[in-house]
Amino acid sequence: MRALLVVNPAATTTSARTRDVLIHALASEMKLEAVSTEHRGHARDLARRAAESGDVDLVVALGGDGTVNEVANGLLHHGPDPDRLPHLAVVPGGSTNVFARALGLPNDPVEATGAILDALNERRDRTVGLGLASGTPDTEDESVPARWFTFCAGLGFDAGVIGRVEQQRERGRRSTHSLYIRQAVRQFLGEPRRRHGTISLERPGHEPVEGLALSIVCNTSPWTYLGNRPVYASPTASFDTALDVLGLDRLSTPAVARYATQLLTSTPERGPQGRHALAFPDLTDFTLHSKVPIPFQMDGDHLGVRTSVTFTGVRRALRVIV
């Protein structure tokens, strides 16, 4: 097997020594080329070249969810073709590793590498669906390039939290779950539109849903993790279906306290529920509009502000090693 290993040397939870051990373990079982990323977008470019070459059977992403997102976008640059494109394998090296854990892989990079090698020997893989977000025609965001996401996207509050976290990381702060919680509180206190949301959800054949203050798009479940605790925003979301949307039409203090508690105690069977929580499962095509520019994120990566994003759920997009 010919494989490309894309290594993020800045991955949060792997040291240079650990990465060397993983590289040797993988190289013992396949013809491996290992390349370290040097800048944002480099992992995408490496994966794209691997897909276009026709000479690579497997691309392994060693890093966090951002690295995985870039690799997936590189593999899918010319569109999904699970039977032709190289397979994807993920060795978790970030602080959260939602995609890898949602696939059932261990969160430890050494154990995950062993699981991947076992899966390759036993020829275990699966085809997963992914989400595609693009600029909406006839809006000011129509020229925004389309981009794939592996586990979630968000327009509004959660994206604002991620933006705040990224600002802290640029100042040298370490990415921790407590950092996310602190920035979530600050985002809430500074949110000017928490009682009257600006977001509307439009679906073919349905009336628009107006006044959302928060919108989370899930491609799988759980939505994220706090340490070892999974958090389920849309428990029915799955790699085998299209996209689920959770919307909240109010972010008042009582509402946030209630739904934050529900998220922290959520289970695979039960997510946030109540008068202000709106769930839309298994959507293939829909658009989120906002009356004002608000933050947008995909797979935990803040992408600036948007007024409109069109989403597509693609059920068979990429083949992954599990």
Side-chain angles (χ1 to χ4, degrees):
M1 174 174 283
R2 297 158 298 180
L4 169 68
L5 174 63
V6 178
V7 181
N8 179 0
T12 308
T13 58
T14 56
S15 65
R17 179 174 295 179
T18 299
R19 291 192 290 271
D20 287 342
V21 170
L22 301 181
I23 290 170
H24 285 301
L26 291 168
S28 68
E29 299 292 334
M30 62 192 73
K31 184 178 180 181
L32 183 73
E33 177 187 8
V35 182
S36 294
T37 59
E38 299 175 356
H39 52 79
R40 176 171 283 197
H42 194 189
R44 178 198 60 222
D45 296 339
L46 292 168
R48 176 184 175 181
R49 287 198 290 269
E52 292 174 342
S53 72
D55 295 328
V56 176
D57 304 302
L58 173 69
V59 176
V60 184
L62 171 51
D65 288 311
T67 303
V68 176
N69 178 277
E70 285 197 16
V71 169
N73 274 276
L75 290 173
L76 295 169
H77 180 78
H78 297 290
D81 189 349
D83 297 326
R84 182 189 62 83
L85 290 172
H87 288 39
L88 170 66
V90 179
V91 178
S95 59
T96 310
N97 308 305
V98 178
F99 183 68
R101 294 163 85 175
L103 288 172
L105 291 170
N107 197 36
D108 178 82
V110 176
E111 293 182 10
T113 299
I116 289 169
L117 292 174
D118 288 343
L120 289 170
N121 288 330
E122 297 170 13
R123 300 184 180 275
R124 292 199 315 267
D125 60 39
R126 64 176 292 190
T127 302
V128 298
L130 299 178
L132 181 66
S134 56
T136 305
D138 300 322
T139 71
E140 61 186 69
D141 292 322
E142 65 179 340
S143 63
V144 176
R147 180 167 171 172
W148 296 88
F149 59 96
T150 62
F151 65 91
C152 84
L155 184 67
F157 180 83
D158 72 312
V161 174
I162 288 171
R164 287 174 176 269
V165 170
E166 290 188 1
Q167 289 177 352
Q168 294 297 314
R169 293 187 67 182
E170 289 172 359
R171 296 170 185 167
R173 299 294 297 275
R174 187 170 177 268
S175 178
T176 62
H177 300 295
S178 61
L179 176 63
Y180 275 90
I181 292 172
R182 289 195 300 273
Q183 298 310 313
V185 172
R186 291 174 181 172
Q187 179 70 21
F188 169 71
L189 294 176
E191 176 58 58
R193 294 171 290 272
R194 61 193 188 201
R195 288 187 177 272
H196 303 286
T198 66
I199 304 169
S200 62
L201 168 67
E202 295 185 2
R203 299 167 290 163
H206 295 80
E207 290 295 318
V209 179
E210 307 278 358
L212 298 178
L214 174 149
S215 55
I216 296 173
V217 182
C218 293
N219 184 52
T220 189
S221 187
W223 165 50
T224 190
Y225 290 83
L226 284 176
N228 292 322
R229 179 190 292 274
V231 179
Y232 299 90
S234 297
T236 62
S238 167
F239 288 128
D240 298 320
T241 61
L243 302 172
D244 283 24
V245 179
L246 170 67
L248 299 181
D249 63 13
R250 178 168 295 188
L251 291 178
S252 63
T253 300
V256 167
R258 175 179 182 178
Y259 294 119
T261 300
Q262 289 186 356
L263 282 170
L264 292 174
T265 59
S266 57
T267 68
E269 293 77 33
R270 186 179 179 86
Q273 296 180 344
R275 184 159 56 96
H276 299 295
L278 306 173
F280 306 92
D282 199 15
L283 301 183
T284 300
D285 298 287
F286 63 95
T287 299
L288 294 174
H289 296 284
S290 174
K291 297 176 182 178
V292 297
I294 56 178
F296 178 56
Q297 67 88 12
M298 286 198 297
D299 286 348
D301 187 9
H302 186 263
L303 300 179
V305 296
R306 300 283 192 274
T307 57
S308 186
V309 185
T310 294
F311 293 88
T312 305
V314 180
R315 283 177 169 82
R316 284 179 47 83
L318 200 59
R319 197 177 296 275
V320 296
I321 301 300
V322 292

